[in-house]
Amino acid sequence: MIRYLEEFRNKNAARSLTATIRELAPERPRFFMEICGGHTLTAVKFGLHGLLPETLTLKSGPGCPVCVTSQEYIDTALLISREPGVIMTSFGDMMRVPGSSTSLLKEKAAGRDIRICLSPRDAVRIAAEHPDRQVVFLGIGFETTAPTVAMAVKEANARGLSNFTVFSALKTMPEAMRALLSGGKLTLDGFICPGHVTAVTGTRIYEPITREFGTPCVVSGFEPTDMLAALVLLLQQLREGRADVEIQYTRVVRPEGNPFARGVLEEVFQPADAAWRGLGTIPGSGLAFTDVFRSFDAASRFQVAPPPAREHPGCRCGEIMRGTATPEACPLFKKSCTPENPIGACMVSAEGACGIYYRYAG
Ligand code: SF4
């Protein structure tokens, strides 16, 4: 009974929010971008694009951490996994991401010791159980995941585990937002900002975006009605000529974020340049080890150099990450590229746009 009441309330809320979005419909074409794979999933799965007025388009951006991970990083990780005595550990969604010539899953099938972890602490446990082996964790993610990796490093340090390292491709979101706005190839009138990232960082990270670019930012939750409410807030800002940071996801996000998680992050990592698929190298958008924790850096311990990376020439993941193409625009989509046989990273991850469109669109 409670479930039906909840559904009834949600339907009514969605109807009312959709009506408000239509009342606030912009007079000329406007473009908002969601920069979290969770939001892409909600928007496509629940058909939010079909509810919008003709003058409003919602684009997907670089919000899937697996998808934005560069081909060079994947190739380097694959080489490290072949080093003698290495146990490679990773979140599961990295396993099927194609490198230039192979993937972690294929390497595992070929006999490499590659293990899936649900948490970075699982990798620390494996390191403690195998003191004679080198355990490498693939650190992929944004500000939401990065504190858990930092905590694992601190734990390994406290336990004196010198056989544990992290290969970091951790990234931070605001610099990517700036890169999108500075690129000059994309018109964006507002961002739906990631709720879970902001729960850690707080809202201050978006203030330069609103101040320098005049682009409104609204932090949204992940229910369909959350996203519709975030769209209402963005449209209201446009109508009133404002560019502010607002929180729709007030049940989780505080303006100050999570000071403890931020503190751990700043203790273990510091900003560094990072390579993004589709966006190139963005200054200060990655997380590298601070001097105190540099001994946990797998990139320093395993100095492998893969040959120049090769991406499939037909794959348009880069354009999808930049919001200049949708998965349906890729000629390989649903033909040679499927979740069973992914050609690009965007088809692999649960938060990848191509995989989401494959499962839920049309
Ligand atoms: Fe790349 Fe496949 Fe997406 Fe095309 S459908 S952009 S090949 S991941």
Side-chain angles (χ1 to χ4, degrees):
M1 184 65 180
I2 289 172
R3 202 186 105 217
Y4 290 121
L5 274 175
E6 193 62 28
E7 279 179 11
F8 179 73
R9 263 193 229 110
N10 282 342
K11 269 186 198 157
N12 277 350
R15 260 191 219 110
S16 160
L17 288 163
T18 305
T20 308
I21 287 170
R22 293 191 166 275
E23 278 166 28
L24 293 168
E27 286 172 6
R28 63 178 175 85
R30 297 286 199 166
F31 301 91
F32 295 157
M33 176 178 272
E34 91 265 351
I35 43 169
C36 174
H39 286 148
T40 304
L41 176 62
T42 299
V44 176
K45 183 174 179 181
F46 293 95
L48 300 193
H49 297 95
L51 301 177
L52 305 184
E54 274 183 12
T55 49
L56 182 59
T57 303
L58 182 59
K59 292 171 174 282
S60 301
C64 159
V66 170
C67 308
V68 297
T69 299
S70 72
Q71 198 82 350
E72 290 81 4
Y73 174 91
I74 295 162
D75 290 347
T76 307
L78 287 160
L79 275 189
I80 293 174
S81 76
R82 293 178 182 175
E83 289 285 293
V86 162
I87 301 175
M88 181 62 79
T89 58
S90 170
F91 292 130
D93 49 3
M94 280 299 290
M95 294 296 288
R96 299 174 67 241
V97 177
S100 293
S101 58
T102 180
S103 67
L104 288 171
L105 194 62
K106 286 180 186 163
E107 290 294 302
K108 184 176 172 64
R112 315 281 175 222
D113 195 343
I114 299 172
R115 307 185 190 184
I116 293 174
C117 292
L118 296 178
S119 147
R121 291 189 70 197
D122 292 347
V124 176
R125 177 183 48 75
I126 293 169
E129 289 169 357
H130 299 277
D132 54 330
R133 307 278 301 275
Q134 287 291 323
V135 177
V136 182
F137 180 73
L138 298 183
I140 307 285
F142 297 125
E143 293 94 328
T144 324
T145 312
T148 66
V149 179
M151 284 300 294
V153 170
K154 281 181 60 116
E155 181 181 340
N157 190 42
R159 294 172 70 174
L161 298 175
S162 59
N163 63 328
F164 173 77
T165 52
V166 172
F167 187 33
S168 174
L170 296 166
K171 293 181 173 60
T172 51
M173 190 48 84
E175 293 78 13
M177 295 164 74
R178 294 174 71 93
L180 285 166
L181 292 170
S182 311
K185 292 185 182 153
L186 193 64
T187 305
L188 285 178
D189 300 292
F191 281 112
I192 293 187
C193 299
H196 294 150
V197 162
T198 319
V200 171
T201 63
T203 52
R204 275 179 53 189
I205 60 166
Y206 306 117
E207 285 170 7
I209 306 289
T210 55
R211 203 171 46 237
E212 290 173 34
F213 297 93
T215 309
C217 291
V218 173
V219 181
S220 173
F222 296 88
E223 297 295 327
T225 46
D226 287 327
M227 287 191 70
L228 291 172
L231 289 169
V232 168
L233 292 173
L234 282 172
L235 288 167
Q236 280 171 340
Q237 289 202 39
L238 286 190
R239 185 162 281 206
E240 293 163 16
R242 291 186 291 119
D244 295 324
V245 184
E246 292 182 303
I247 305 173
Q248 179 279 329
Y249 200 22
T250 51
R251 62 189 186 277
V252 170
V253 175
R254 302 279 172 272
E256 68 277 17
N258 181 329
F260 175 78
R262 273 206 320 275
V264 171
L265 205 50
E266 285 165 15
E267 192 183 343
V268 177
F269 293 114
Q270 60 189 356
D273 298 351
W276 296 59
R277 189 189 298 270
L279 297 175
T281 297
I282 304 177
S285 68
L287 292 173
F289 284 93
T290 53
D291 288 343
V292 176
F293 291 95
R294 200 172 303 284
S295 62
F296 292 93
D297 182 11
S300 303
R301 187 167 302 183
F302 302 94
Q303 305 226 347
V304 296
R310 283 181 292 110
E311 292 182 33
H312 191 290
C315 177
R316 300 183 69 181
C317 275
E319 291 166 74
I320 291 167
M321 291 296 97
R322 292 195 297 273
T324 55
T326 59
E328 285 117 333
C330 175
L332 309 180
F333 180 66
K334 286 191 176 178
K335 296 187 176 82
S336 49
C337 185
T338 63
E340 292 73 36
N341 179 34
I343 287 175
C346 303
M347 187 56 90
V348 179
S349 166
E351 295 193 330
C354 297
I356 291 169
Y357 274 71
Y358 185 95
R359 290 192 299 279
Y360 298 112

